């Protein structure tokens, strides 16, 4: 089996761009707090979702619907409605994280495929087995904390499909369990779906350069000729021992395009491209590059595809992240 | 909710020397008005061997003092030996606090505690876990008062952190090692240099976070002295103090007196402030604000 290329779509235009660029599968979410990329101007209303699924199916591709945040107490209805609609619209699977939402989907729509979101942070065989045995999940999206060897060991043991991140932003924290953004802004990524919400982001000059701020907290300073990165708490500079540094993670993008053969040999089913918040140009470029790389791998070509993705990578720099030892 | 409010001591999050840990718990056994103690390494499995020779003695001493002992498990697991350790602990039949879903797979159908690192934000998740055997649920630190009202008193015990640095994230990467130019695999146990955590400030000098190995905590202490009685009325049964490198016996005494109505929160505040010194207080999450905020009790809906 060829590696399945799973691509992000923050808008209907990006969904079409992903299909045109060679995505096997597109993932997207509704325009509300039920998905983990709840940013202004992004995502799909009910009609757009139904049309997007129909468009992808006409082209022989699949659509996965992310309903991967955690409902607040007393208000599960938006999450339940999102799953009901995804089922009615013919989604090929839903991507879920919350135990209550998984339970609802498994009981009400047993025929609708369930994938476990990276937001559930299932990073070992027992956690994955818990979700598999309780909610019959068919695929797990693995957290970006495992080496290739660990991925291979999990694939052998868990008996369900795995999807791993191949390109995009690197989240160093255990996902779905990080409260840094809400600690600073009061808005929860876990239940409201927006880490570092745009409403709380600001930039200001301080004489030495440009400061990027989240809420009332300064997360970074950039020189005159340096591009100012978006102020996400885990990508900021902090002072420890009297020195400022990227304490959690450098401003780099994960790019696994030159280790696809290793991931395939590890038994991975699908490669995920991160970036529903990015535009259609990003989608076209990244998806096209990975399509060519996967096709070359299938033809048995040993040389790697020329990597031209640094220009769209976050911070213009790339990493293999946790796939290589030494990242921890 | 009937019944008296229970005071608990959460797992020690910091890497203290093993003898210091042993002495700390012996003093808790002998002197502290605490009903339940959580024992075990939550942050990093590399620390576990140091305290292992003492843990059974400590557990026995605490039990002999009439305290409930719950064994806490790691918040993130990826290694085979970590999975094997949780299997062995669960298999021993002791009451465990599951901090990763991995532990649940092993204790399903038997009584266990859900720790604050497993997301329980709504009734759906709550009820699935209770059906699976959870007898107590420690709510995540991000929980708000309306959610507490909805989730507490649904047939099992409910617990919340009321004192100590707020756990904001866990990871596989060690930031403590990284701050020293090291990696987790060759960390030299530098987390042991900071018994109350390593301050991480913003580049313009604002105190913001505390690094503790692979864990990130708030710079301030969560303090819910003014909310204890209201939380108890909402159905909260257990009130967690998280060990900091200060006089925790005194911290426990203050909270016990307020829970019992023997002292007014405003009166107890002064004594607690003397113990916490310059560390700021925070209570924002419960009051629907940013977690780093301190909402003055008069503004917090008259919950005194």
């Amino acid at each position: 089996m060829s590696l399945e290329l799973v691509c992000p779509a923050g808008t209907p235009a990006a969904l079409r761009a992903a299909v045109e660029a060679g995505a096997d599968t597109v993932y997207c979410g509704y325009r509300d707090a039920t998905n983990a990329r709840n940013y202004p101007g992004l995502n799909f209303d009910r009609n757009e979702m139904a049309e997007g699924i129909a468009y992808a199916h006409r082209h022989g591709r699949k659509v996965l619907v992310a309903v991967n945040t955690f409902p607040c107490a007393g208000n599960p209805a938006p999450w339940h409605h999102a799953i009901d609609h995804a089922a009615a619209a013919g989604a090929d699977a839903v991507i879920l994280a919350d135990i209550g939402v998984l339970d609802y989907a498994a009981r009400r729509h047993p025929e609708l495929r369930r994938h476990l979101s990276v937001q559930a942070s299932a990073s070992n065989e027992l956690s994955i087995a818990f979700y598999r045995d309780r909610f019959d999940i068919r695929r797990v999206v693995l957290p970006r904390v495992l080496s290739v060897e660990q991925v291979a060991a999990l694939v052998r043991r868990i008996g369900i499909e795995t999807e791993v991140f191949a390109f995009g932003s690197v989240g160093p924290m255990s996902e779905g369990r990080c409260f840094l953004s809400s600690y600073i802004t009061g808005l929860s990524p876990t239940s409201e779906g927006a880490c570092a919400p745009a409403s709380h982001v600001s930039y200001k000059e301080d004489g030495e350069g440009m400061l990027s701020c989240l809420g009332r907290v300064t997360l970074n300073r950039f020189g005159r000729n340096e591009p100012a990165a978006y102020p996400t708490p885990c990508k900021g500079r902090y002072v420890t021992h009297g020195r400022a540094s990227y304490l959690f993670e450098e401003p780099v993008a994960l790019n696994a395009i030159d280790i696809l053969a290793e991931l395939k040999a590890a038994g991975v089913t699908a490669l995920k491209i991160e970036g529903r918040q990015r535009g259609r140009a990003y989608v076209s470029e990244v998806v096209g590059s990975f399509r060519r790389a996967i096709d070359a791998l299938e033809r048995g070509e040993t040389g790697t595809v020329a990597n031209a993705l640094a220009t769209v990578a976050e911070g213009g720099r790339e990493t293999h992240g946790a796939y290589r030892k030494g990242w921890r | 909710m009937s019944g008296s409010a229970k005071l608990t001591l959460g797992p020690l999050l910091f890497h203290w020397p093993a003898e210091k840990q042993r002495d700390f718990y012996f003093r808790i056994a002998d002197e502290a008005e605490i009903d339940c103690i959580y024992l075990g390494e939550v942050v990093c499995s590399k620390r576990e061997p140091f305290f292992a020779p003492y843990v059974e003695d400590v557990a026995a001493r605490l039990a002999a003092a009439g305290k409930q002992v719950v064994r806490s498990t790691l918040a993130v697991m990826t290694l085979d030996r970590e999975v094997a350790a949780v299997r062995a602990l669960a298999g021993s039949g002791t009451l465990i606090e599951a901090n990763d879903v991995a532990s649940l797979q092993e204790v399903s159908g038997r009584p266990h505690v859900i720790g604050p690192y497993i997301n329980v934000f709504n009734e759906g998740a709550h009820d699935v876990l209770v059906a699976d055997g959870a007898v107590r649920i420690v709510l995540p630190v991000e929980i708000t008062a309306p959610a507490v009202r909805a989730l507490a008193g649904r047939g099992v015990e409910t617990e919340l952190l009321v004192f100590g640095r707020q756990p904001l994230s866990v990871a596989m990467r060690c930031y403590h090692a990284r701050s020293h130019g090291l990696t987790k695999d060759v960390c030299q146990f530098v987390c042991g240099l900071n018994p109350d955590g390593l301050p991480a400030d913003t580049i313009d000098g604002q105190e913001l976070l505390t690094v503790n190995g692979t864990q990130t905590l708030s710079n301030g202490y969560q303090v819910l002295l003014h909310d204890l009685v209201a939380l108890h009325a909402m159905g909260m049964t257990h009130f967690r103090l998280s060990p900091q490198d200060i006089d925790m016996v005194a911290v426990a005494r203050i909270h016990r007196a307020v829970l019992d109505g023997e002292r007014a929160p405003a009166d107890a505040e002064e004594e607690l402030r003397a113990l916490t010194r310059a560390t700021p207080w925070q209570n924002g999450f419960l009051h629907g604000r940013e977690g780093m905020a301190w909402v003055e009790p008069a503004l917090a809906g008259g919950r005194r």
Side-chain angles (χ1 to χ4, degrees):
Chain A
M1 282 283 282
S2 172
L3 286 164
E4 177 184 335
L5 183 56
V6 181
C7 303
T11 61
L15 181 145
R16 291 190 296 273
V19 167
E20 283 163 20
D24 296 306
T25 302
V26 179
Y27 67 100
C28 43
Y30 291 103
R31 193 172 294 145
D32 58 22
T34 63
N35 82 92
R37 289 287 186 277
N38 181 23
Y39 294 103
L42 282 191
N43 297 316
F44 291 61
D45 67 22
R46 299 289 192 260
N47 284 334
E48 289 166 344
M49 187 67 82
E51 287 166 10
I53 291 170
Y55 175 87
H57 286 177
R58 278 200 303 279
H59 289 80
R61 319 300 169 82
K62 292 178 178 168
V63 174
L64 314 179
V65 178
V67 188
N68 59 346
T69 48
F70 298 79
C72 296
N75 188 30
W79 284 261
H80 296 173
H81 292 160
I83 290 167
D84 295 343
H85 188 268
D92 296 282
V94 281
I95 309 171
L96 312 176
D98 180 70
I99 286 172
V101 172
L102 280 157
D103 180 57
Y104 176 87
R107 284 189 291 105
R108 292 297 186 86
H109 302 283
E111 75 295 343
L112 176 62
R113 246 176 94 96
R114 288 170 293 285
H115 293 184
L116 189 67
S117 170
V118 72
Q119 299 292 320
S121 188
S123 55
N124 58 69
E125 60 179 297
L126 288 182
S127 295
I128 296 165
F130 173 86
Y131 291 105
R132 180 197 66 205
D133 296 351
R134 300 293 180 299
F135 309 116
D136 193 22
I137 59 159
R138 300 301 180 85
R139 176 182 296 183
V140 55
V141 183
L142 293 177
R144 284 163 269 198
V145 300
L146 301 167
S147 67
V148 174
E149 293 76 14
Q150 288 175 315
V151 170
L154 279 180
V155 169
R156 284 195 299 273
R157 294 170 187 174
I158 59 180
I160 59 170
E161 297 174 1
T162 54
E163 180 173 312
V164 301
F165 282 90
F167 190 88
S169 160
V170 181
M173 306 305 189
S174 185
E175 283 157 286
R177 304 198 283 177
C178 177
F179 307 136
L180 286 176
S181 184
S182 50
Y183 174 71
I184 294 171
T185 69
L187 298 176
S188 165
T190 43
S191 57
E192 293 163 271
C195 177
S199 55
H200 287 63
V201 168
S202 62
Y203 299 89
K204 63 185 183 208
E205 293 276 345
D206 80 334
E208 295 175 51
M210 179 75 84
L211 295 176
S212 63
C213 306
L214 184 63
R216 292 179 294 109
V217 171
T218 302
L219 290 182
N220 215 336
R221 177 188 284 117
F222 300 93
R224 301 262 174 236
N225 301 319
E226 228 183 328
Y230 194 82
T232 305
C234 61
K235 310 284 174 58
R237 274 195 188 100
Y238 298 91
V239 177
T240 52
H241 317 293
R243 289 188 307 274
S245 70
Y246 286 106
L247 180 61
F248 303 117
E249 182 58 282
E250 318 278 330
V252 293
L254 173 70
N255 187 357
I257 199 163
D258 58 355
I259 58 168
L260 299 187
E262 289 176 56
L263 292 171
K264 187 175 183 194
V268 162
T269 301
L271 300 175
K272 188 180 200 92
I273 309 295
E274 187 272 347
R276 282 191 284 142
Q277 72 282 17
R278 306 287 296 261
R280 58 175 296 175
Y282 165 94
V283 169
S284 297
E285 177 130 23
V286 178
V287 175
S289 292
F290 273 87
R291 179 77 272 153
R292 289 190 293 280
I294 292 170
D295 291 346
L297 183 64
E298 288 307 304
R299 289 193 300 269
E301 294 172 15
T302 49
T304 53
V305 168
N307 176 14
L309 290 174
T311 51
V312 294
E314 191 175 338
R317 293 167 52 202
E318 299 176 332
T319 174
H320 286 120
Y323 290 131
R324 290 282 185 256
K325 266 191 89 111
W327 177 86
R328 305 200 304 167
Chain B
M1 187 63 132
S2 62
S4 69
K6 304 280 194 223
L7 212 50
T8 77
L9 186 69
L12 173 68
L13 301 177
F14 304 100
H15 184 46
W16 292 356
E19 295 74 18
K20 174 174 170 164
Q21 289 190 49
R22 177 199 60 195
D23 296 347
F24 169 77
Y25 284 115
F26 281 180
R27 179 164 179 240
I28 293 291
D30 294 345
E31 300 178 31
E33 298 171 75
I34 292 175
D35 303 285
C36 168
I37 285 92
Y38 293 83
L39 273 187
E41 181 57 48
V42 167
V43 176
C44 177
S45 63
K46 287 185 70 177
R47 299 167 171 179
E48 275 175 338
F50 295 94
F51 189 58
Y54 301 100
V55 67
E56 297 308 330
D57 277 356
V58 164
R61 178 92 162 248
L62 290 166
K67 302 184 186 308
Q68 183 185 43
V69 176
V70 181
R71 301 293 285 273
S72 293
T73 61
L74 289 170
V76 189
M77 288 177 230
T78 58
L79 303 178
D80 287 347
R81 66 175 164 77
E82 295 167 343
V83 169
V86 78
R87 277 196 160 123
L89 188 61
S92 74
T94 186
L95 184 62
I96 74 164
E97 176 189 57
N99 285 314
D100 184 299
V101 168
S103 312
L104 293 186
Q105 180 69 357
E106 294 298 297
V107 294
S108 174
R110 283 191 285 131
H112 58 267
V113 177
I114 299 292
Y117 304 92
I118 291 178
N119 280 347
V120 183
F121 285 110
N122 55 69
E123 297 89 339
H126 180 282
D127 294 353
V128 167
L129 295 173
V130 169
D132 211 44
V135 294
R136 183 185 308 160
I137 293 182
V138 188
L139 294 174
V141 69
E142 201 191 54
I143 207 82
T144 60
V148 170
R149 202 172 282 117
L151 297 176
R154 286 177 76 84
V156 295
E157 297 168 343
T158 312
E159 179 167 333
L160 183 66
L161 173 72
V162 298
F163 177 83
R165 291 196 205 280
Q166 306 180 74
L168 300 176
S169 79
V170 287
M172 276 314 299
R173 184 177 234 183
C174 181
Y175 307 122
H176 226 119
R178 210 169 134 79
S179 81
H180 286 269
L182 302 167
T183 64
K184 186 175 179 183
D185 292 328
V186 290
C187 67
Q188 300 175 23
F189 298 97
V190 287
C191 56
L193 297 172
N194 305 103
D196 219 41
L198 170 69
D201 303 339
T202 66
I203 49 174
D204 52 0
Q206 183 182 8
E207 293 177 2
L208 186 70
L209 301 171
T210 302
V211 168
N212 171 40
T214 56
Q215 180 177 51
T216 307
L217 301 156
S218 59
N219 70 308
Y221 294 154
Q222 166 110 301
V223 170
L224 299 183
L225 264 189
H226 291 273
D227 303 290
L228 296 180
V229 171
L231 286 168
H232 191 42
M234 289 179 201
M236 188 72 65
T237 56
H238 289 63
F239 298 81
R240 172 172 295 203
L241 313 174
S242 190
Q244 304 291 159
D245 196 19
I246 62 176
D247 185 350
M248 292 303 297
V249 172
V251 170
R253 191 173 57 241
I254 292 167
H255 283 80
R256 185 74 262 168
V258 172
L259 275 171
D260 291 343
E262 291 167 5
R263 292 184 74 174
D267 168 43
E269 216 181 82
E270 196 178 334
E271 191 186 343
L272 189 63
R273 185 72 77 180
L275 292 168
T276 61
R277 297 188 289 268
T279 303
W281 290 4
Q282 301 172 332
N283 62 3
F285 281 135
L286 187 69
H287 299 293
R289 291 270 309 276
E290 60 273 27
M292 64 189 285
W294 171 252
V295 180
E296 285 298 332
L299 303 175
R303 280 201 189 73
R304 282 173 185 247

